[in-house]
Amino acid sequence: MKYKIALFFLFLLVLQSCQNEDEKRKAENAKEAKKNEKIFNNINKAWTFIDEPINEVSEQNIKVWTEWRDFMKEIGDKPRKTIGAFQKKSTAISKKALALNNNIPADFNTPAIKSRISVLITKIKMMDLFIHLSQIPDDKVAFLIGEINKELVALERQMDKIVERSKVPKEQGEEDFLKMLDTTRAIPNASPIDPNLPRVE
């Protein structure tokens, strides 16, 4: 009899313990859901990219540079509903940004433009990394979105500078002078002069 009573109390204790665990789990799940909702709202509010050309040059590039057009279209589409949608979109933007290094129009295939593209890609990859962490730092994602917008503006302004410089007429002989400054075109010294060879004086 005493054995049955002890068993009964043990059963009640286990049952009470399980109920406490369920309540704790529900409270933790509710807390996690609230935290995820806050992260989603912060990212959703910050997720605004400059997807419209800021100058005529950028607008012309959309017509002729396929990778630029695809990239601008990708950042213009805003995901909805879940963090997972933002994660997928971030990955897609990252892929389109990497493609910007391909088929750069000849006028813009310069170190200045390439470095701007590299910085833009780096910031987009950082955003993609942060948004895929298990604990998403929404403040860093929001900050990087702002930084990406700054880099987009800087890239478009750099393109505009290149076009404006090309419109300035060159002076007579300037083209030849610039060619002489280009060290890649210099005639290489094929072989060093041997000091032991006889010289004509």
Coordinates of all heavy atoms in Angstrom, one line a residue, residues 162-197:
I162 N 33.1 60.1 -65.6 CA 33.8 59.6 -66.8 C 33.2 60.1 -68.1 O 33.9 60.5 -69.0 CB 33.8 58.0 -66.7 CG1 34.8 57.6 -65.6 CG2 34.3 57.5 -68.1 CD1 34.7 56.1 -65.3
V163 N 31.9 60.1 -68.1 CA 31.2 60.6 -69.3 C 31.5 62.1 -69.5 O 31.8 62.6 -70.6 CB 29.7 60.3 -69.3 CG1 29.0 61.0 -70.4 CG2 29.5 58.8 -69.4
E164 N 31.4 62.9 -68.4 CA 31.7 64.3 -68.5 C 33.1 64.6 -69.0 O 33.4 65.5 -69.8 CB 31.4 65.0 -67.2 CG 29.9 65.1 -66.8 CD 29.1 65.8 -67.8 OE1 29.5 66.9 -68.3 OE2 28.0 65.2 -68.2
R165 N 34.1 63.8 -68.5 CA 35.5 64.0 -68.9 C 35.7 63.7 -70.3 O 36.5 64.4 -71.0 CB 36.4 63.1 -68.0 CG 36.7 63.7 -66.7 CD 37.8 62.9 -66.0 NE 37.8 63.1 -64.6 CZ 37.9 62.2 -63.6 NH1 38.2 61.0 -64.0 NH2 37.9 62.6 -62.4
S166 N 34.9 62.7 -70.8 CA 35.1 62.3 -72.2 C 34.6 63.4 -73.2 O 34.9 63.5 -74.3 CB 34.4 61.0 -72.5 OG 33.0 61.1 -72.4
K167 N 33.7 64.3 -72.7 CA 33.1 65.3 -73.5 C 34.0 66.5 -73.6 O 33.9 67.3 -74.5 CB 31.8 65.8 -72.9 CG 30.6 64.8 -73.0 CD 29.4 65.3 -72.3 CE 28.3 64.3 -72.4 NZ 27.1 64.7 -71.7
V168 N 35.0 66.6 -72.7 CA 35.9 67.8 -72.8 C 36.9 67.5 -73.9 O 37.5 66.5 -74.0 CB 36.7 67.9 -71.4 CG1 37.8 69.0 -71.5 CG2 35.8 68.2 -70.3
P169 N 37.0 68.5 -74.9 CA 37.9 68.3 -76.0 C 39.3 68.3 -75.6 O 39.7 69.0 -74.7 CB 37.6 69.5 -76.9 CG 36.9 70.5 -76.1 CD 36.3 69.8 -74.9
K170 N 40.1 67.4 -76.2 CA 41.5 67.3 -75.9 C 42.3 68.3 -76.7 O 41.9 68.6 -77.8 CB 42.0 65.9 -76.2 CG 41.4 64.8 -75.3 CD 42.2 63.6 -75.4 CE 41.8 62.4 -74.5 NZ 40.9 62.5 -73.5
E171 N 43.4 68.8 -76.1 CA 44.2 69.8 -76.8 C 45.1 69.0 -77.8 O 45.3 67.8 -77.7 CB 45.1 70.5 -75.8 CG 44.3 71.5 -74.9 CD 45.3 72.2 -74.0 OE1 46.4 72.4 -74.3 OE2 44.8 72.7 -72.9
Q172 N 45.6 69.8 -78.7 CA 46.5 69.2 -79.8 C 47.7 68.6 -79.1 O 48.4 69.3 -78.3 CB 46.9 70.2 -80.8 CG 47.7 69.7 -82.0 CD 48.0 70.7 -83.0 OE1 47.7 71.9 -82.8 NE2 48.6 70.3 -84.1
G173 N 48.0 67.3 -79.4 CA 49.2 66.7 -78.8 C 48.9 66.0 -77.4 O 49.8 65.3 -76.9
E174 N 47.8 66.3 -76.8 CA 47.5 65.7 -75.5 C 47.4 64.2 -75.5 O 47.9 63.5 -74.7 CB 46.2 66.3 -74.9 CG 45.9 65.8 -73.5 CD 44.6 66.5 -72.9 OE1 44.0 67.3 -73.6 OE2 44.3 66.0 -71.8
E175 N 46.8 63.7 -76.6 CA 46.7 62.2 -76.8 C 48.0 61.5 -76.8 O 48.3 60.5 -76.2 CB 45.9 61.9 -78.0 CG 45.4 60.5 -78.1 CD 44.3 60.1 -77.1 OE1 43.5 60.9 -76.8 OE2 44.4 59.0 -76.6
D176 N 49.0 62.1 -77.6 CA 50.3 61.6 -77.7 C 51.0 61.6 -76.3 O 51.7 60.7 -75.9 CB 51.1 62.3 -78.7 CG 50.6 62.1 -80.1 OD1 49.9 61.0 -80.4 OD2 50.7 63.0 -81.0
F177 N 50.8 62.7 -75.6 CA 51.5 62.9 -74.3 C 51.0 61.9 -73.3 O 51.8 61.3 -72.6 CB 51.2 64.3 -73.8 CG 51.8 64.6 -72.5 CD1 53.1 64.8 -72.3 CD2 51.0 64.7 -71.3 CE1 53.7 65.0 -71.0 CE2 51.5 64.9 -70.1 CZ 52.9 65.1 -69.9
L178 N 49.7 61.6 -73.3 CA 49.1 60.6 -72.5 C 49.6 59.2 -72.8 O 49.8 58.4 -71.9 CB 47.6 60.6 -72.5 CG 46.9 61.9 -71.9 CD1 45.4 61.9 -72.1 CD2 47.2 61.9 -70.4
K179 N 49.8 58.9 -74.1 CA 50.4 57.6 -74.5 C 51.8 57.5 -74.0 O 52.2 56.4 -73.6 CB 50.3 57.5 -76.0 CG 49.0 57.2 -76.5 CD 49.0 57.0 -78.1 CE 47.6 56.8 -78.6 NZ 47.6 56.7 -80.1
M180 N 52.5 58.6 -74.0 CA 53.9 58.5 -73.5 C 54.0 58.2 -72.0 O 54.9 57.6 -71.5 CB 54.7 59.8 -73.9 CG 55.0 59.9 -75.3 SD 55.9 61.4 -75.9 CE 56.2 62.4 -74.5
L181 N 53.0 58.7 -71.3 CA 52.9 58.5 -69.8 C 52.5 57.1 -69.5 O 52.8 56.6 -68.3 CB 51.9 59.5 -69.2 CG 52.4 61.0 -69.1 CD1 51.2 61.8 -68.6 CD2 53.6 61.1 -68.3
D182 N 51.9 56.4 -70.4 CA 51.5 55.0 -70.1 C 52.7 54.1 -70.1 O 53.3 53.8 -71.1 CB 50.5 54.6 -71.2 CG 49.8 53.3 -70.9 OD1 50.1 52.7 -69.9 OD2 49.0 52.8 -71.8
T183 N 53.0 53.6 -68.9 CA 54.2 52.8 -68.7 C 53.9 51.4 -69.3 O 54.9 50.7 -69.5 CB 54.5 52.6 -67.2 OG1 53.4 52.1 -66.5 CG2 54.9 53.9 -66.6
T184 N 52.7 51.0 -69.5 CA 52.5 49.6 -70.0 C 52.8 49.6 -71.5 O 53.0 48.5 -72.1 CB 51.0 49.2 -69.9 OG1 50.2 50.2 -70.6 CG2 50.6 49.1 -68.4
R185 N 52.9 50.7 -72.1 CA 53.3 50.8 -73.6 C 54.8 51.0 -73.8 O 55.2 51.0 -74.9 CB 52.5 51.9 -74.2 CG 51.0 51.7 -74.1 CD 50.3 52.7 -75.0 NE 50.7 52.4 -76.3 CZ 50.8 53.2 -77.3 NH1 50.5 54.4 -77.2 NH2 51.1 52.8 -78.5
A186 N 55.5 51.2 -72.8 CA 57.0 51.4 -72.9 C 57.7 50.3 -73.6 O 57.3 49.1 -73.4 CB 57.6 51.7 -71.5
I187 N 58.7 50.6 -74.3 CA 59.5 49.5 -75.0 C 60.4 48.9 -73.9 O 61.2 49.5 -73.3 CB 60.3 50.1 -76.1 CG1 59.4 50.7 -77.2 CG2 61.2 49.0 -76.8 CD1 60.2 51.5 -78.2
P188 N 60.2 47.5 -73.8 CA 61.0 46.9 -72.7 C 62.5 46.8 -73.2 O 62.8 46.7 -74.4 CB 60.4 45.5 -72.6 CG 59.8 45.3 -73.9 CD 59.3 46.6 -74.4
N189 N 63.4 46.9 -72.2 CA 64.8 46.8 -72.5 C 65.1 45.3 -72.7 O 65.1 44.5 -71.7 CB 65.6 47.4 -71.3 CG 67.1 47.6 -71.7 OD1 67.5 47.2 -72.7 ND2 67.8 48.2 -70.8
A190 N 65.3 44.9 -73.9 CA 65.4 43.5 -74.3 C 66.5 42.8 -73.6 O 66.4 41.7 -73.0 CB 65.5 43.3 -75.8
S191 N 67.7 43.4 -73.6 CA 68.8 42.8 -73.0 C 69.8 43.9 -72.4 O 69.9 44.9 -73.0 CB 69.6 41.9 -74.0 OG 70.1 42.7 -75.0
P192 N 70.3 43.6 -71.3 CA 71.2 44.6 -70.7 C 72.5 44.7 -71.5 O 73.0 43.8 -72.2 CB 71.5 44.1 -69.3 CG 71.2 42.6 -69.4 CD 70.2 42.4 -70.4
I193 N 73.1 45.9 -71.6 CA 74.3 46.1 -72.3 C 75.5 45.6 -71.6 O 75.7 45.9 -70.4 CB 74.5 47.6 -72.6 CG1 73.3 48.2 -73.4 CG2 75.8 47.9 -73.3 CD1 73.3 49.7 -73.6
D194 N 76.3 44.8 -72.3 CA 77.4 44.2 -71.6 C 78.6 45.2 -71.6 O 79.0 45.7 -72.6 CB 77.9 42.9 -72.4 CG 79.0 42.1 -71.8 OD1 79.4 42.5 -70.7 OD2 79.4 41.1 -72.3
P195 N 79.1 45.5 -70.4 CA 80.1 46.6 -70.3 C 81.5 46.1 -70.9 O 82.3 46.9 -71.2 CB 80.3 46.8 -68.8 CG 79.7 45.6 -68.2 CD 78.7 45.0 -69.1
N196 N 81.7 44.8 -71.2 CA 82.9 44.3 -71.7 C 83.0 44.4 -73.2 O 84.0 44.2 -73.8 CB 83.1 42.8 -71.3 CG 83.3 42.7 -69.8 OD1 83.8 43.6 -69.1 ND2 82.8 41.6 -69.2
L197 N 81.8 44.6 -73.9 CA 81.8 44.7 -75.3 C 82.5 46.0 -75.8 O 82.4 47.1 -75.1 CB 80.4 44.8 -75.9 CG 79.6 43.5 -75.8 CD1 78.2 43.7 -76.3 CD2 80.3 42.4 -76.7

